[in-house]
Amino acid sequence: QKNYPRKGLFISVGSTKGKRLFDGALLSVKYFMDALDMELWKSLVFRGIETEGQIAESHAALEDAYEAGKALVLALSDRDCLKSHG
C-alpha cells in the first residue's frame, strides 16, 4: 500500500511588503509539518495588510484563499480515492 503524505496549506498576512517577510514563518511551518509527517502543499502569503479585517478588502486574496481551499480538498480526495483503490 502506497503511503501518501498528509498535506497542509499555510496562509499568512504581514504588514510590510518586504521580499523576505515570510521566510522565517515558512521555514517554521515546513519543520512543523515535517514533524507531523505532512508536506507543505501550498502557501499563500499576503503583504501590506496592516489592520485587522483589511484582508477582507482584497477580493483577489479572498478568491486565492477560497480556490486554494477547494484545490486542497480535491487533492486530499484524489489521494484518499487512490489509497482506497490502490
Side-chain angles (χ1 to χ4, degrees):
Q1 184 178 34
K2 196 170 185 178
N3 184 18
Y4 294 93
R6 296 183 297 168
K7 298 179 183 306
L9 171 62
F10 175 67
I11 302 174
S12 186
V13 299
S15 64
T16 67
K17 295 184 180 186
K19 183 177 181 179
R20 301 187 60 153
L21 175 63
F22 296 101
D23 287 1
L26 285 166
L27 186 59
S28 294
V29 166
K30 286 178 186 179
Y31 282 127
F32 175 75
M33 289 187 179
D34 185 54
L36 297 175
D37 196 28
M38 297 175 69
E39 69 173 331
L40 178 56
W41 174 78
K42 185 171 189 164
S43 60
L44 295 175
V45 294
F46 303 101
R47 292 168 174 78
I49 306 299
E50 296 183 10
T51 60
E52 183 177 340
Q54 186 180 356
I55 193 73
E57 298 169 13
S58 175
H59 298 292
L62 296 177
E63 183 68 21
D64 287 349
Y66 178 79
E67 292 301 323
K70 280 185 8 182
L72 178 59
V73 168
L74 288 174
L76 294 174
S77 297
D78 289 345
R79 179 202 67 192
D80 290 340
C81 181
L82 289 172
K83 189 189 298 186
S84 65
H85 291 98

